[in-house]
Amino acid sequence: MSSVCAILGASGHGKVVAELAELNGYSEIKFFDDAWPHKLQVEHWSVVGNTQSLFESIDSYDCIVVAIGNNSVRYSKHREIVEAGAKCPPLIHPKAIVSNYAQIKEGTVVMAGAAVNPFSTIGEACVLNTNSCVDHDCALQDGVHISPNASLAGAVQVGEKAWVGIGAQVRQQIKIGPEAVVGAGATVVKDVPKGKTVVGNPAKIKVSNR
């Protein structure tokens, strides 16, 4: 029997999610994007409608994933879809390593090479990107993005819609506030306040030049 996955967001990230869905056993992929009908194709997959048309057919899909890079937009759209009754199981790459004692909530994607160790909790609509590492006892709130090759040591807490950039490292027991940004390659050894951006080694709050 055919199982169908709908993806909102026909982007580069969406292409990775599409393959991930196929690897999770979904035999048919349908994209939705607000660039439709001007955008009808993403690689060999069809873009069949916009956000409104997805909501109008929401019961037709075995899985719906929001594949939008912006954390706030992704989480907001995910919640709208869930509240409309959509099925949004997490998608986990077969070459990711996820502990049986970890919890991955709905709408989250875990890419190839990612690791989630025991007793960590990953919220809704998160992205654990390629080769990212979430060690034991971490708590990631909803809408978080851990970029490729970024690593969280044990018992790190990451607030809602925060973003840890590519190759960043976060020391054990650090707290990263909601909507904070950890810059690419940063080494975080102190807590990061809500909404702040930190960069460098050791990471420091970025001060605007304006």
Side-chain angles (χ1 to χ4, degrees):
M1 182 177 177
S2 176
S3 55
V4 186
C5 178
I7 299 173
L8 179 60
S11 61
H13 177 55
K15 292 189 284 186
V16 180
V17 172
E19 184 189 38
L20 182 57
E22 290 179 342
L23 291 169
N24 275 255
Y26 294 96
S27 55
E28 187 175 357
I29 307 296
K30 293 186 178 182
F31 273 96
F32 292 81
D33 195 285
D34 286 340
W36 178 89
H38 302 290
K39 187 171 192 175
L40 297 174
Q41 201 82 13
V42 52
E43 302 300 343
H44 59 282
W45 297 289
S46 296
V47 181
V48 299
N50 57 17
T51 302
Q52 181 179 344
S53 55
L54 173 60
F55 274 91
E56 290 170 353
S57 59
I58 208 162
D59 293 333
S60 302
Y61 302 103
D62 302 289
C63 173
I64 299 178
V65 185
V66 181
I68 294 173
N70 182 286
N71 289 347
S72 294
V73 175
R74 182 178 66 255
Y75 180 59
S76 175
K77 295 294 185 184
H78 165 76
R79 288 308 312 163
E80 290 177 29
I81 287 168
V82 168
E83 289 165 10
K87 302 170 188 172
C88 301
L91 297 179
I92 300 172
H93 197 284
K95 291 189 177 179
I97 301 171
V98 177
S99 168
N100 290 334
Y101 297 107
Q103 183 180 6
I104 312 289
K105 295 187 178 179
E106 61 185 356
T108 284
V109 294
V110 182
M111 304 305 191
V116 184
N117 278 341
F119 305 106
S120 285
T121 301
I122 313 300
E124 296 183 23
C126 291
V127 178
L128 301 187
N129 226 316
T130 311
N131 290 329
S132 59
C133 177
V134 178
D135 218 310
H136 63 88
D137 298 296
C138 288
L140 278 59
Q141 300 302 313
D142 300 332
V144 167
H145 184 178
I146 308 299
S147 296
N149 292 310
S151 298
L152 310 183
V156 170
Q157 298 180 39
V158 184
E160 188 174 279
K161 295 177 283 188
W163 178 20
V164 179
I166 189 167
Q169 305 172 82
V170 182
R171 197 198 69 187
Q172 68 274 13
Q173 299 182 334
I174 289 294
K175 296 179 181 179
I176 297 173
E179 300 181 6
V181 176
V182 175
T187 299
V188 181
V189 295
K190 294 182 179 179
D191 291 350
V192 180
K194 176 181 178 179
K196 296 296 184 180
T197 296
V198 297
V199 296
N201 181 6
K204 296 180 180 179
I205 294 175
K206 185 177 180 180
V207 179
S208 174
N209 292 325
R210 292 184 296 174

